[in-house]
Amino acid sequence: MAVQQVLMEIAGVRMDVPSAQPVVVLREVEGGRHLPIWIGTNEATSIVFAVQGIEPPRPLTHDLVLSVATAFGRTLTRVRIHTVEEGVFHAALEFSDGTVVDSRASDAIALAARTDCPILCTETVLDEAGLVMSGDGELREPAPGEGEPQLPPETQVEQFRDFLDNVDPEDF
């Protein structure tokens, strides 16, 4: 059985107040879950520069990695966050020639931000570490079924009409 991959996007980089450590937050493109990943300051800077289009006077490490890949005729096609073990996220870089390279999630995200390649996350990782945004803007554990993609309103109305057509007062 294939592992289900979920398309993610960078929602932002924030500072975790209690730990004074940067956190990159990924957001499900078609859903309500967020994935916070605590990262180092160098990776945070690299991601923010890429997202904001800031070009440093000299290439950062992630720029160098992409330059080396380009020099060898490769392009980054996607990154996959595939495992979380004891709070440590593991990722893979997938290149145009089929080469797959193990990576820290923070480095994979920094590279993806420079290339606009897809960031994928396994459903298993999202189930284990994904959070949802509460009404007050705080990330929290999802309630059962929360964060899953919503059906279109037309489908919801149709399902409700089917329910009304088939409901029996004796059911209550």
Side-chain angles (χ1 to χ4, degrees), residues 18-33:
S19 69
Q21 187 176 358
V23 179
V24 61
V25 179
L26 301 179
R27 173 180 45 230
E28 239 181 328
V29 171
E30 294 184 10
R33 292 177 292 184

Side-chain angles (χ1 to χ4, degrees), residues 79-94:
V79 302
R80 288 183 303 109
I81 301 169
H82 56 77
T83 311
V84 59
E85 296 173 350
E86 298 179 19
V88 177
F89 292 84
H90 301 265
L93 308 175
E94 296 185 11

Side-chain angles (χ1 to χ4, degrees), residues 68-149:
V68 169
T70 300
F72 285 107
R74 312 292 193 290
T75 56
L76 185 63
T77 56
R78 66 183 177 175
V79 302
R80 288 183 303 109
I81 301 169
H82 56 77
T83 311
V84 59
E85 296 173 350
E86 298 179 19
V88 177
F89 292 84
H90 301 265
L93 308 175
E94 296 185 11
F95 289 90
S96 54
D97 68 341
T99 301
V100 177
V101 178
D102 186 42
S103 173
R104 297 184 306 180
S106 58
D107 292 323
I109 294 165
L111 292 168
R114 285 166 167 66
T115 62
D116 290 326
C117 75
I119 300 170
L120 302 172
C121 182
T122 64
E123 188 71 43
T124 307
V125 169
L126 275 173
D127 287 345
E128 184 173 336
L131 302 174
V132 294
M133 188 78 68
S134 66
D136 61 0
E138 293 292 320
L139 290 175
R140 61 174 172 71
E141 296 281 331
E146 187 177 17
E148 295 177 6

Side-chain angles (χ1 to χ4, degrees), residues 127-167:
D127 287 345
E128 184 173 336
L131 302 174
V132 294
M133 188 78 68
S134 66
D136 61 0
E138 293 292 320
L139 290 175
R140 61 174 172 71
E141 296 281 331
E146 187 177 17
E148 295 177 6
Q150 295 293 313
L151 295 172
E154 306 81 38
T155 304
Q156 291 178 21
V157 169
E158 184 179 316
Q159 287 179 348
F160 185 64
R161 283 187 179 139
D162 288 344
F163 168 76
L164 291 176
D165 288 343
N166 296 310
V167 71

